[in-house]
Amino acid sequence: MQSVSLFNHTVTAAEDLTACRFVTHTGAVPGAGANTLGIALSDTETGDDCPVAVIGSAVIEASEAIALGAAVETTADGRAAVLDTGKPVARLLQAATGAGSKVEALLLPN
């Protein structure tokens, strides 16, 4: 699986962060359907610096099965879910087969 991050940004983790999950501008796990900065590129403990993929594609963790090309929003634990009433934060470049699937997604500015 590949990813093509065109711009990474470093944030200080406001709480423990998990690689392949969404992160906010303040270094926290976003709420369900919230705006995001991008995807954490590594597991990071509170207070440490975390590299975040902001523009381009990144590997994300799905919370459910999601079709190829579907727009996604974030869950309360930072995983991707089918876009419902939240902010569109990415579009899948691969289909996710179920919870825990890691797939490439195109990050959307939001």
Side-chain angles (χ1 to χ4, degrees), residues 20-24 28-39 60-61 63-64 71-90 110:
C20 301
R21 293 189 183 188
F22 291 102
V23 178
T24 68
V29 176
N35 283 319
T36 66
L37 172 63
I39 298 292
I60 65 171
E61 182 179 344
S63 66
E64 60 187 330
V72 298
E73 66 186 35
T74 183
T75 63
D77 64 359
R79 296 185 296 161
V82 174
L83 181 63
D84 184 22
T85 59
K87 306 289 184 192
V89 292
N110 62 93

